[in-house]
Amino acid sequence: MDTAIKFIAFDQLNSALDRISEQLDVWVPVASKDQKRVIQFAPYRPGMTLVLDHQTTLGPKQVVLPQVEALFRFDYRKSADEPSRQKVQLEDPHPPAPTLIFGARPCDVKGFLVLDQVFSAGPFVDGIYAARREQTLFATMVCGQQDSACFCSSVGSGPTDRTGSDLWITPIAAGYVVEALSDRAHPVMAWLQEAATELHVAAAGKVQEEAARQQVGNLAVDQCQQHFLQRFADTNYWQEVAGQCLSCGICTFVCPTCYCFSITDEMKDKHGERIRSWDSCMFFTYTLEASGHNPRPSRLERYRNRVGHKFSYFPEKYQGLIACCGCGRCIRNCPVSIDIRKAVQNLQGQNHACS
Ligand code: SF4
Ligand code: SF4
């Protein structure tokens, strides 16, 4: 099988994706039709215009953990032997198709490495997530478009972080140089027709060197677990960093590492579905108990929980892994400009250096 380094000229990108999408479900970054400023991953269709020179507004989280999905279907049936009783018949969802996420960024992939700890690393495995994850390949691009909200280098990643990716794409002047990073990538490499020349490979090397030199963000996260606990009861501090919060939940919906969800049963007659849908810990109702008691009734307590979850509780549980990939989406999209870096940096008694 021919799996040498490959090259895709700009004007050949769609025909390459046409060939791949005959074999796999392919998701690509595109601008939404109605709101051109929103870029998100969508199933590839021939002729689509990809947006590869800009971080997406929403990452590819929904490909593996959809915003709304049926976990299973159920039917209530009368028992022929005992008509006074009903039986419940369950139907599993369809098994996932092999899928390629084309044009993700290192921070997008890092987000899945966080989600994996919760859904598929055990001891409790979410079978639906694990099956989709197993079937999903990442063709990730070296990132050269950081903005002032990005801080991936501060949380253990960076523009050339290949961890978790299967193919590595480097944009050069004439197109894209593609390398295989895992055995699972070899069939995709074989569907790409043009081998990269020495000149292409050398140009890609320069792009990667330049990107690797970038230190993206200057947030110090050492000992943030302990500092968070010391700040926990400092209401003035949380008022200062999150007093403006509207509880809108946007920060959680755009976040590659947030995974709060809600479960509901939806029925018509005797048929129904158990639905999982994204939820947000920033909503008042998220922790509202049936008694009327709410352990996190105020916006400040909910924002504090969001910071603590990502920078204190999660690393404490998962061997120091911070549940933030530094993508900056929550910072860019918060309607009142709350900056999670400010909350974390000041936990540690340092001056906030971010605008
Ligand atoms: S908390 Fe913000 S910066 Fe961190 S992963 Fe989530 S959206 Fe990105
Ligand atoms: S996006 Fe901003 S205002 Fe909305 S819930 Fe998050 S921190 Fe609060």
Side-chain angles (χ1 to χ4, degrees), residues 159-231:
T160 56
D161 182 3
R162 302 179 176 209
T163 315
S165 295
D166 300 285
L167 298 110
W168 188 247
I169 307 168
T170 308
I172 60 171
Y176 304 99
V177 174
V178 185
E179 300 166 59
L181 301 182
S182 74
D183 290 345
R184 303 194 319 155
H186 289 167
V188 178
M189 293 296 279
W191 298 325
L192 301 177
Q193 292 176 335
E194 188 175 345
T197 64
E198 283 182 16
L199 284 176
H200 293 144
V201 174
K206 280 192 184 149
V207 171
Q208 290 179 45
E209 274 170 32
E210 174 63 27
R213 273 199 291 274
Q214 307 289 325
Q215 171 68 27
V216 184
N218 60 357
L219 182 67
V221 295
D222 300 344
Q223 299 182 316
C224 54
Q225 284 173 252
Q226 296 90 314
H227 288 124
F228 172 78
L229 296 177
Q230 285 158 12
R231 282 282 198 192

Side-chain angles (χ1 to χ4, degrees), residues 149 151 251 254-258 306 310-311 323-331 340:
F151 59 103
C251 51
V254 297
C255 178
T257 63
C258 278
R306 182 163 195 269
K310 292 186 180 301
F311 290 89
C324 169
C325 60
C327 68
R329 287 183 173 98
C330 58
I331 301 164
I340 197 166

Side-chain angles (χ1 to χ4, degrees), residues 92-145:
D92 285 335
H94 298 300
T99 299
L100 174 71
I101 297 175
F102 187 92
R105 303 282 162 149
C107 55
D108 294 328
V109 180
K110 167 106 183 188
F112 283 101
L113 302 181
V114 170
L115 299 183
D116 289 349
Q117 296 298 320
V118 179
F119 290 102
S120 57
F124 304 106
V125 173
D126 182 310
I128 294 175
Y129 174 94
R132 279 212 198 93
R133 189 71 174 85
E134 180 66 31
Q135 293 285 356
T136 304
L137 294 172
F138 291 92
T140 309
M141 286 190 78
V142 59
C143 186
Q145 289 91 26

Side-chain angles (χ1 to χ4, degrees), residues 278-349:
W278 292 359
D279 202 343
S280 171
C281 64
M282 300 302 282
F283 294 158
F284 175 81
T285 49
Y286 184 75
T287 45
L288 182 62
E289 297 169 7
S291 66
H293 172 67
N294 192 336
R296 293 199 288 270
S298 75
R299 287 169 289 141
L300 298 189
E301 287 160 319
R302 294 196 288 279
Y303 188 78
R304 178 181 66 188
N305 176 69
R306 182 163 195 269
V307 174
H309 173 76
K310 292 186 180 301
F311 290 89
S312 183
Y313 317 142
F314 199 94
E316 186 183 343
K317 185 166 182 185
Y318 297 108
Q319 295 83 43
L321 180 65
I322 289 174
C324 169
C325 60
C327 68
R329 287 183 173 98
C330 58
I331 301 164
R332 264 176 234 111
N333 292 292
C334 174
V336 291
S337 302
I338 290 174
D339 187 331
I340 197 166
R341 294 171 299 185
K342 183 175 174 185
V344 174
Q345 192 120 323
N346 290 348
L347 281 178
Q348 301 167 66

